[in-house]
Each structure stands twice: as structure tokens, then as C-alpha cells.
Amino acid sequence: CYHNIVYAYTDLEELVQAERYEGYQSYINQQGLRDHHLGLSRVDNRANLEKMQSFLAKNPEIEAFIACDDIQAIRLQRLFKEADIANNRYALLGFNNSLITEIANPSLTSVDIFPQELGEEAANLLLKKILQESQTLIIPHQIIERESTASIK
């Protein structure tokens, strides 16, 4: 169980990243934990490395990272490697269960959001013309646990 968790993102103006951050914040607040978040560039790895190292120096209690998506999680893995941080020092979780999660080193724990099912249900709603008023549809998700959350050293 982790108590010092960071939400890592690139752009909170993007709806998906913002909504995932809101979900993270809601859980953190319910648990009475401190909100840690780290915004990184999509392109400037040197600035990212400096920012991450500074962040971790100021927050040595950090145990885990939730990345906005699998690409961001892979970016974090590379930054850890560049900073000579052991690949099992922090637990790491991404979203989307992309193919890269299996070939990452260590393999990446990820939330599978079943995009095919999302598309099918959206098409189904449109074809049935059910969207006459706002409707909430919940599609199940599954956490695919791999090596990146196996242990903290």
C-alpha cells in the first residue's frame, strides 16, 4: 500500500489527463494524503531530468507514480535510468495497457480501459438514438499488474 503517490502528466489542458488527475485528487483527499503532482515536457528530456531530480530531492517520501498514460510512464522509466535510480525504487502505473507496457523494463503495470468496448458502446448509443439527454455509461476497467509495481526497494 502506497501513501506518497505522484500524478505525472504533460498537459492538464487535455481532458483525459485532467480527468485522471481529478480522480487521483479525489482518492488522495478521501484518504487524507498529500497531493503530489509533476508536470513534464513531451520534448525536453534534459529539463525533465532536472525537474524530476529536484522534485524527488524535495519529496524524499515518494513511493509511487501514477502516469497520465503509458507513454508518460515509459518517459519516467527512462528518466529514472538517466538519474541512476534503481528500476524498482518507485512503483509505477500507467493507463491504456499499450503494447509497450509488456516490453518496457521492468514491464509496466497499466490500467486497461478497453477502448474497443468504449467505441462499441458509443456507436450503440448513437445507433439507438439514446442520446436525447445526458447519459452516463460506465465501462469496466482492469488493472494489469506487472513488474513495475511488484516491490519497492
Side-chain angles (χ1 to χ4, degrees):
C1 185
Y2 307 109
H3 297 95
N4 296 290
I5 305 166
V6 179
Y7 180 78
Y9 62 92
T10 54
D11 184 358
L12 289 179
E13 295 296 314
E14 290 185 7
L15 183 62
V16 171
Q17 290 188 45
E19 288 182 344
R20 289 176 181 166
Y21 179 57
E22 289 173 11
Y24 157 86
Q25 280 185 312
S26 176
Y27 176 80
I28 291 296
N29 290 336
Q30 287 173 11
Q31 300 302 310
L33 302 174
R34 184 171 165 219
D35 176 0
H36 297 280
H37 53 278
L38 178 63
L40 298 172
S41 167
R42 287 189 173 110
V43 293
D44 192 343
N45 285 333
R46 188 163 57 162
N48 285 344
L49 182 60
E50 292 171 8
K51 190 172 187 179
M52 184 195 70
Q53 287 175 317
S54 174
F55 177 84
L56 291 173
K58 292 175 185 170
N59 299 281
E61 71 279 8
I62 297 303
E63 302 167 296
F65 286 80
I66 296 175
C68 62
D69 58 30
D70 293 336
I71 299 296
Q72 180 76 334
I74 298 295
R75 184 177 287 117
L76 286 166
Q77 283 185 328
R78 288 184 177 172
L79 289 172
F80 295 156
K81 185 175 182 178
E82 286 181 45
D84 292 323
I85 297 171
N87 63 11
N88 62 347
R89 170 63 181 92
Y90 301 105
L92 181 58
L93 177 138
F95 282 88
N96 299 334
N97 196 33
S98 310
L99 177 61
I100 59 172
T101 60
E102 295 178 40
I103 59 176
N105 186 18
S107 60
L108 183 63
T109 295
S110 186
V111 179
D112 194 336
I113 56 171
F114 303 107
Q116 182 175 346
E117 189 175 341
L118 281 169
E120 287 174 4
E121 289 298 328
N124 187 34
L125 288 172
L126 288 172
L127 290 172
K128 291 182 177 180
K129 297 183 181 179
I130 296 177
L131 293 176
Q132 295 168 1
E133 58 184 65
S134 181
Q135 182 176 352
T136 301
L137 179 66
I138 297 175
I139 303 295
H141 65 279
Q142 181 180 3
I143 297 174
I144 309 299
E145 191 165 355
R146 296 190 180 93
E147 295 169 335
S148 70
T149 55
S151 64
I152 296 180
K153 301 280 176 168

